[in-house]
Amino acid sequence: MSNFIPGQPLVAVVQRIEIKKLRQGDNLILGFSIGGGIDQDPGQNPFSDDKADKGIYVTRITPGGPAETADLRMGDKIMQVNGYDMTMMTHDQARKRLTKKNEDVVRLLVTRKSLEEAVKNSMGGYQRQ
Amino acid sequence: MDTESTHSGYSYHSSRSGRSNRHGDRSRERHKASSKDSVRSERSVVINPPDTPSQESPVTNGEPLPGEPTPAEDQGDDAQDDNWGETTTAVTGTSELSISQEEVVGLGKGLHDRTEDFRRYLPLAVGSLVGLLVLATPLAFLLLPVFMWPDRLQACGTACEGLFLSLAFKLLILLMAMWALFLKPGRASLPRVCVYRAFLTTLTLLLTMSYWLFFGVRILEAQDEDYHGIVQFAVSLVDSQLFVHYLAVVLLELRHLQPCYSVCVIRSTDGETRHYNIGQLSVQKAALTILEYYYRDFPLHNPALLSASKHRAAKHLAGLKVYNVDAPGNTAGAQPGNGNQSRAMVTAAAKRKDSAHNELYYEEADYERRVRKRRARLVVAVEEAFTHIRRMKKEDEQATPSDIMDVREAALAIFPSMARALQKYLRTTRRQHCHSMESIQKHLAFCLVNNMSPKAFLEGYLAPGPTLQYGPERWMADQWTLVSEASVTSGLKEGSDFLLRCLDFNLAVTVKGIPYIRLTEEFIDPKSHKFILLLQSETSV
C-alpha cells in the first residue's frame, strides 16, 4: 500500500483468500463491496495510506456473508483476482472480474497494513526494500 | 476641592451646565421652585448636610425629568465627594453684592471671545486684501496710461480687443477661484500660522510687487506709447496669478486628499479607539482633521461611567499603611525611601487575597441585568404610548375639535406615559444629564412628524451617540490643547505621536504610514478553466 511509485514494480505482502460465491436467487454474491479504481477519486478513499493510490479496496463486508467467513477484512486492497491484476483497473472492470457468472470461486490476493507489520515483527530487524 | 469651583465655568455660555460633566449623575432635584432661579448661575448651590447630597441638577435647558428619588446605587458614588457641599460654599459667593469666582472668569471670557472673533476673521481679511490687490493691479496697469498720457498712446486694433476680452474672463475666473478657495471664515483657529498659506501670500505679493516695479520703471517713467505691449504686460500678470492659484490648489487642497498615513486615536478615559487615513498634513492640520472626526465618530464622553474603576483602584491600596520605623519624620531621608515604600505596598497588595475580580464579575452581571430589565420596560412603554396617537385621516375631520392636535400637543400628550420609564433607564445607564425634558419632547415631535416607529424614536436614547448630537454645551470645542514634541507646523511622520488634551480626557494619537503595496498581475486564460468529474462509487459484489 505504501511505496507506490507509478511505473515501478510494486512489492507487497499479500494474503491469499478464497471465497466461495453464494447463490441468492439468480445471482452469485460474494458479500462485500468494493471502491476505488483508476477512474475514481483516490483522495476520498478512507482506507489507503497513500492518497494517490487508485487501487481497488474493500469498503464493506456483509456480516455473515462468504467474504466474512473467508476472513476478508474491510480496508483490504485487492491485488489479484483469479490471477488477473487489479491494481490498474477501472471500477467497472473490477466489478466485472469479480462477478463472472461462470466462476464459483474467486481467489483473491489482498494486502493490508497489518500484514506488513506482522512480517516485520516476525523477522526481527530485517528491513524489506 | 478647589477644582470643583474653578471648573464650574467651562465657558461663558454654558454656565448652567458647567458642572454637568462631573456631577451629572446627581440630578435628583425635587424642589422645582429653587431650581428655576438657580439655573442661571451656580452661586446658589443648595446646601445640604453631607449624607444627603442633593445639588440642583444643572441639566442643560430646562427642568430635570420627573421621576423617582435616587436609586440606592447612586449613593455609592457620593462617598468620595462628601464634603463638596461645605467647601464649595466657602468659595462661591452667596450674597448679591459680592462677585463670585464665576463672574470674574466670565469677564475674562468676554474679552477672550472678542479676540477669538478677531482671530477667526483675520485670514478672511487678509485674503480679501490680497485679492483686491491682485484684481486691481491689472486694471490699474491698463487704465493708468490712458489717464496719464492719452494723446500719445497708439490705438491698437483687434489684437488689443482680443486681449481685453481674455483679460476680462481671466480676471473673472481668478475672482471666482479666489472666492472658492480663500474667502471663507476659518473653520478653526490653529495655534500657528499655516506655512503654505503664508508662503503663497508672500509669493503673490512678491509677484505683484515685482510687476509694479517693472511697470513703474519701464512704463510710467518712460511713458511707453505702445499700448499693445502694456496690455500684454497686464495679461501676463493675470496668467501668472492664475498659475500661483493653481499652485495654491495643489498645495492646500490636493496634497491632503491622498491618504498616506494611518492614525490611531485612543481616548484616555475609556479607551475608545478609532483609526483614520489621512494625507500629508502638518501636525496641527492633522489634529484639526482628527478632531472633526472625533466629533462625528466617538460616542459622548461620560465621566459618570468611570467612577467604578476608580473605586476599585482606590480599594486596592486603601488597606495598607506604611510606617517608617527607622528615622523620625526626616523628609530628606525619606526621599530615597519612597521607591521602597511603593514597592513594599505593591508586593503587600499582591499577596493579600482579595476578591476584587469576583466582585467585579457579579457587579457587572447585576448591572447588565438591571439595564436589560429597564430597557424592556422602556420599550414596552414607548410602544404602548405610540399606539395612542394616529395621524389624522380624511374621515376624522368630523371628529370633535378637541381631539385634533398639532404635533407639539400630540408629543406632550403621550410623553408622560413613557417619561418615567425613560428616566429610569437613563439613570441606570448614567446618561440622564445628556437629555433634558424639552429635548426629548422635541425629538418625539420630530419622530411623529416623520412617521417613525417607536424603535426609531428610542434608538437615540439606548446608546450614546456622537458628541455633536447633543447640545453645544457638551462640545467644549474651545478647550482643546495640542501637546506635541515635534513642531506643530512640521509634517506628519511615521511614528510620530501627539496628544490632544481636553478638560477631562485626552486623545492620544499615533501615526503609522500606510504600507507600500506591491501589486503584481497574473493572467488566467478563460479557456483554461476545465473540470473533471470525480466519482467515488461503491458497488457490492
Side-chain angles (χ1 to χ4, degrees):
Chain A
M1 281 210 224
S2 52
N3 312 331
F4 172 67
I5 304 167
Q8 299 297 316
L10 183 66
V11 182
V13 181
V14 294
Q15 177 171 346
R16 230 182 270 275
I17 291 186
E18 194 172 302
I19 308 180
K20 286 181 99 63
K21 291 194 189 179
L22 182 66
R23 182 162 287 281
Q24 253 189 11
D26 210 18
N27 305 323
L28 283 168
I29 64 160
L30 286 164
F32 64 96
S33 298
I34 53 166
I38 51 177
D39 55 339
Q40 307 280 313
D41 177 17
Q44 294 182 34
N45 189 345
F47 305 111
S48 59
D49 278 344
D50 181 2
K51 290 302 172 192
D53 185 4
K54 294 188 176 182
I56 308 286
Y57 283 78
V58 174
T59 53
R60 230 168 12 104
I61 310 263
T62 332
E68 198 182 7
T69 18
D71 196 27
L72 188 67
R73 295 190 205 153
M74 194 166 76
D76 290 352
K77 176 175 173 182
I78 302 177
M79 308 294 276
Q80 277 186 13
V81 171
N82 287 341
Y84 290 99
D85 173 59
M86 297 290 263
T87 52
M88 282 284 142
M89 284 260 172
T90 67
H91 189 87
D92 210 38
Q93 285 171 342
R95 183 189 56 85
K96 283 199 189 125
R97 284 249 164 269
L98 285 165
T99 52
K100 286 219 173 315
K101 284 210 178 339
N102 48 5
E103 289 172 356
D104 253 359
V105 165
V106 285
R107 291 183 183 84
L108 309 175
L109 283 181
V110 301
T111 179
R112 57 178 87 102
K113 238 194 314 216
S114 51
L115 285 179
E116 261 201 46
E117 271 158 40
V119 167
K120 258 197 232 163
N121 292 340
S122 69
M123 285 190 158
Y126 177 72
Q127 293 291 328
R128 286 178 14 180
Q129 70 273 25
Chain B
M1 286 294 190
D2 275 343
T3 49
E4 315 258 318
S5 48
T6 49
H7 277 166
S8 58
Y10 277 174
S11 84
Y12 187 58
H13 302 290
S14 66
S15 55
R16 278 173 297 177
S17 68
R19 280 219 167 94
S20 56
N21 279 347
R22 285 203 176 270
H23 308 296
D25 51 346
R26 302 211 181 104
S27 57
R28 50 193 81 101
E29 174 54 57
R30 298 183 223 179
H31 310 288
K32 303 259 179 73
S34 61
S35 82
K36 286 238 174 49
D37 50 22
S38 62
V39 158
R40 269 172 306 144
S41 83
E42 269 132 344
R43 274 187 284 172
S44 48
V45 172
V46 174
I47 304 164
N48 284 94
D51 54 344
T52 59
S54 77
Q55 178 199 3
E56 50 90 5
S57 88
V59 187
T60 52
N61 289 322
E63 301 149 5
L65 303 177
E68 289 188 350
T70 43
E73 57 268 14
D74 283 350
Q75 292 281 354
D77 292 330
D78 301 325
Q80 269 183 341
D81 300 302
D82 268 351
N83 296 327
W84 63 268
E86 298 174 77
T87 48
T88 39
T89 44
V91 180
T92 61
T94 48
S95 79
E96 309 88 53
L97 296 174
S98 67
I99 292 188
S100 73
Q101 182 127 3
E102 285 83 8
E103 278 198 350
V104 171
V105 171
L107 285 176
K109 286 282 175 191
L111 200 62
H112 192 237
D113 278 349
R114 281 195 284 279
T115 330
E116 280 297 316
D117 278 345
F118 172 68
R119 281 202 70 179
R120 192 175 179 173
Y121 290 103
L122 182 65
L124 180 62
V126 167
S128 317
L129 280 175
V130 173
L132 278 174
L133 182 67
V134 158
L135 285 176
T137 306
L139 297 173
F141 286 178
L142 288 181
L143 294 173
L144 277 177
V146 173
F147 288 135
M148 288 177 69
W149 56 95
D151 41 344
R152 287 197 288 147
L153 229 46
Q154 293 169 4
C156 60
T158 44
C160 258
E161 279 160 17
L163 286 174
F164 283 144
L165 218 58
S166 86
L167 187 72
F169 278 103
K170 281 181 188 163
L171 276 179
L172 179 69
I173 291 172
L174 192 60
L175 177 70
M176 283 174 52
M178 277 198 305
W179 165 79
L181 196 60
F182 294 115
L183 300 183
K184 24 185 205 233
R187 64 185 212 260
S189 113
L190 297 175
R192 300 219 191 144
V193 168
C194 172
V195 169
Y196 288 128
R197 273 188 186 240
F199 166 68
L200 287 163
T201 315
T202 316
L203 188 65
T204 313
L205 287 174
L206 205 63
L207 184 69
T208 317
M209 287 306 127
S210 55
Y211 263 80
W212 269 110
L213 193 66
F214 270 88
F215 185 73
V217 167
R218 294 300 175 105
I219 297 180
L220 277 184
E221 286 192 9
Q223 301 223 334
D224 195 4
E225 293 141 9
D226 181 12
Y227 198 51
H228 187 81
I230 296 176
V231 176
Q232 275 181 330
F233 186 71
V235 171
S236 76
L237 170 63
V238 180
D239 286 341
S240 316
Q241 304 278 12
L242 275 173
F243 284 125
V244 171
H245 192 267
Y246 162 72
L247 183 66
V249 168
V250 164
L251 281 181
L252 292 180
E253 305 283 328
L254 287 183
R255 220 167 152 253
H256 304 334
L257 289 179
Q258 179 133 27
C260 76
Y261 292 109
S262 169
V263 297
C264 170
V265 186
I266 310 176
R267 188 155 63 182
S268 65
T269 47
D270 54 356
E272 282 279 337
T273 309
R274 296 277 189 280
H275 296 266
Y276 301 112
N277 280 2
I278 56 179
Q280 282 165 314
L281 301 168
S282 61
V283 171
Q284 59 180 4
K285 276 240 163 88
L288 178 65
T289 318
I290 287 169
L291 280 180
E292 287 174 354
Y293 289 142
Y294 169 81
Y295 278 112
R296 183 189 72 189
D297 291 331
F298 276 70
L300 184 71
H301 174 246
N302 201 347
L305 291 172
L306 306 165
S307 47
S309 60
K310 284 190 207 148
H311 275 170
R312 281 198 300 277
K315 265 195 270 181
H316 281 299
L317 296 175
L320 302 171
K321 283 193 77 157
V322 178
Y323 291 97
N324 192 357
V325 292
D326 293 326
N330 188 0
T331 46
Q335 286 305 334
N338 273 346
N340 299 336
Q341 257 189 6
S342 50
R343 264 208 303 275
M345 285 180 92
V346 165
T347 44
K351 280 188 195 142
R352 195 180 63 166
K353 259 194 216 161
D354 63 286
S355 53
H357 54 276
N358 221 8
E359 276 175 36
L360 173 64
Y361 172 70
Y362 284 113
E363 199 180 296
E364 283 197 344
D366 197 44
Y367 176 73
E368 275 286 305
R369 221 169 18 95
R370 257 184 306 143
V371 166
R372 271 201 291 231
K373 252 205 301 192
R374 291 262 166 105
R375 183 197 156 120
R377 286 200 194 130
L378 173 64
V379 168
V380 164
V382 169
E383 280 174 2
E384 212 220 333
F386 267 65
T387 57
H388 296 316
I389 284 281
R390 187 174 55 103
R391 229 171 225 277
M392 190 176 86
K393 294 200 261 276
K394 276 256 185 308
E395 50 271 14
D396 295 330
E397 272 166 24
Q398 301 88 321
T400 55
S402 66
D403 282 348
I404 300 179
M405 301 180 281
D406 70 347
V407 172
R408 184 100 193 119
E409 289 163 0
L412 280 173
I414 58 173
F415 179 69
S417 56
M418 65 171 89
R420 195 159 162 142
L422 182 60
Q423 206 222 0
K424 279 166 94 166
Y425 179 80
L426 287 178
R427 277 239 179 95
T428 315
T429 52
R430 315 270 178 97
R431 280 203 300 275
Q432 73 272 27
H433 54 90
C434 307
H435 305 280
S436 72
M437 196 161 80
E438 274 164 31
S439 78
I440 299 176
Q441 282 167 353
K442 215 159 72 140
H443 185 57
L444 183 56
F446 174 76
C447 290
L448 287 175
V449 163
N450 292 314
N451 294 326
M452 296 208 197
S453 72
K455 186 171 188 322
F457 164 69
L458 265 186
E459 270 312 301
Y461 302 107
L462 293 177
T467 316
L468 277 183
Q469 181 186 324
Y470 304 97
E473 59 280 346
R474 310 241 161 254
W475 296 346
M476 293 191 285
D478 48 352
Q479 305 291 332
W480 291 97
T481 312
L482 175 58
V483 178
S484 159
E485 289 163 0
S487 153
V488 298
T489 44
S490 65
L492 284 182
K493 287 192 204 26
E494 157 104 31
S496 62
D497 52 6
F498 50 93
L499 194 72
L500 282 163
R501 193 163 45 201
C502 194
L503 285 166
D504 295 338
F505 57 93
N506 304 331
L507 291 177
V509 180
T510 42
V511 178
K512 260 193 151 76
I514 293 180
Y516 176 73
I517 296 171
R518 195 169 70 93
L519 199 59
T520 50
E521 75 159 301
E522 183 187 331
F523 174 69
I524 297 183
D525 187 6
K527 290 201 265 280
S528 69
H529 296 295
K530 300 217 182 299
F531 298 91
I532 52 175
L533 193 59
L534 288 175
L535 304 165
Q536 187 62 23
S537 43
E538 191 187 348
T539 26
S540 52
V541 292

